[in-house]
Amino acid sequence: MAASPELEGTESPAPRGPRELRLYGLNAVHAAFAKRPEAIRKLYLVQSRIPALQPLLAWCVAHRVGYRVVEEADLEKLSGSAHHEGVVADVLRAEPESLSTWLRDLPAGPQLAIWLDGVGNPHNLGAILRSAAHFGVAAVLLPKHSSLALSGAAARVAEGGAEHVPMVRLGRTDNALAQLRGAGFALAATVVAGGRDVFAADLPTRLVYVMGAEGEGMDRELARACDLQLSIPGTGAVESLNVAAATAVLLAAWRSRRPG
């Protein structure tokens, strides 16, 4: 089938508006449909994906949401990736919550969150969100001036996890620390060396892991302001784990103390 006129000559995979996100990948689109069907604005798919996406297509028909059956090359142009898995969707972005709102609505009991201090690689963000969804993380916390935001690439790598872990926008660092501690959270700086062994440490019931940027690590002042410092022991054959791999290990260490 020929591409629609809006696809012909497209030079950028950018969505139509700043409030929209262009998702691609079967699990990412399925998760958005399951969690926020009203956010879907347009759908593109290849013929072979019709059976797998039949419920979504029926919903689009019922709610007058446009969709088009296109060619693989069209999807690659729309997504800017060869890893579109046969489907692309334009959806409304889920805007980050404020820290105050998130804390107000947070259930009592054990809770785990991740503070991303300078992490910027979309594939690392996607992998972190996938692990966060798997281990039941309550939120990903973003510093006030962080430019980090969910992208299509991050959502695809997250394999649906992005829809299950809210993003929370922090205010001033000192205020954020005070609010989190006031809600019973301890903050753990994750460091390559010199911290307590995460597998032997007594991990608090309500904990925020603070993860540093790829390469540079976390801000030193922020690390000093944390309640404890944790490291992942290893052989020393490599300097450290990738931030996404390290996050998965840390989340598993906390979850292992709280089965179920």
Side-chain angles (χ1 to χ4, degrees), residues 39-81:
I40 297 172
R41 290 294 177 264
K42 196 149 191 178
L43 184 71
Y44 307 90
L45 70 159
V46 294
Q47 185 80 29
S48 62
R49 282 302 189 198
I50 290 177
L53 293 166
Q54 194 60 51
L56 174 52
L57 294 174
W59 188 92
C60 288
V61 171
H63 293 82
R64 298 181 180 274
V65 172
Y67 72 87
R68 286 191 64 85
V69 177
V70 296
E71 302 295 336
E72 292 269 352
D74 299 321
L75 293 185
E76 188 166 338
K77 184 182 291 186
L78 282 164
S79 65
S81 171

Side-chain angles (χ1 to χ4, degrees), residues 186-206:
L187 289 98
T190 57
V191 295
V192 172
R196 296 179 62 191
D197 180 340
V198 69
F199 300 116
D202 182 17
L203 299 179
T205 300
R206 290 167 79 91

Side-chain angles (χ1 to χ4, degrees), residues 13-253:
R16 287 178 176 274
R19 294 186 62 236
E20 289 186 6
L21 171 66
R22 181 153 284 167
L23 294 179
Y24 57 93
L26 195 60
N27 286 338
V29 173
H30 271 316
F33 176 51
K35 196 81 170 178
R36 304 182 297 129
E38 72 285 350
I40 297 172
R41 290 294 177 264
K42 196 149 191 178
L43 184 71
Y44 307 90
L45 70 159
V46 294
Q47 185 80 29
S48 62
R49 282 302 189 198
I50 290 177
L53 293 166
Q54 194 60 51
L56 174 52
L57 294 174
W59 188 92
C60 288
V61 171
H63 293 82
R64 298 181 180 274
V65 172
Y67 72 87
R68 286 191 64 85
V69 177
V70 296
E71 302 295 336
E72 292 269 352
D74 299 321
L75 293 185
E76 188 166 338
K77 184 182 291 186
L78 282 164
S79 65
S81 171
H83 304 292
H84 49 72
E85 299 175 354
V87 60
V88 171
D90 288 342
V91 303
L92 291 178
R93 285 186 175 276
E95 295 299 325
E97 298 180 59
S98 70
L99 181 58
S100 297
T101 299
W102 176 69
L103 288 174
R104 181 197 67 200
D105 298 336
L106 191 65
Q111 296 290 346
L112 183 61
I114 308 168
W115 180 320
L116 297 183
D117 179 46
V119 175
N121 182 291
H123 292 88
N124 280 337
L125 174 59
I128 288 169
L129 289 169
R130 183 174 183 175
S131 295
H134 179 77
F135 289 111
V137 168
V140 168
L141 311 180
L142 304 176
K144 182 178 182 179
H145 299 298
S146 171
S147 60
L148 187 63
L150 187 67
S151 65
R156 185 195 66 79
V157 173
E159 294 286 356
E163 294 293 334
H164 295 278
V165 184
M167 300 276 206
V168 173
R169 180 68 65 182
L170 303 175
R172 280 175 31 186
T173 298
D174 55 347
N175 288 342
L177 292 170
Q179 286 180 273
L180 287 164
R181 288 182 175 125
F185 282 93
L187 289 98
T190 57
V191 295
V192 172
R196 296 179 62 191
D197 180 340
V198 69
F199 300 116
D202 182 17
L203 299 179
T205 300
R206 290 167 79 91
L207 180 63
V208 177
Y209 282 124
V210 184
M211 307 301 300
E214 302 97 342
E216 297 83 6
M218 79 172 60
D219 178 82
R220 290 184 180 181
E221 288 188 15
L222 178 57
R224 285 194 292 267
C226 289
D227 303 297
L228 63 159
Q229 296 196 347
L230 298 172
S231 297
I232 300 171
T235 64
V238 293
E239 181 182 3
S240 64
L241 291 173
N242 160 279
V243 65
T247 299
V249 172
L250 292 162
L251 299 183

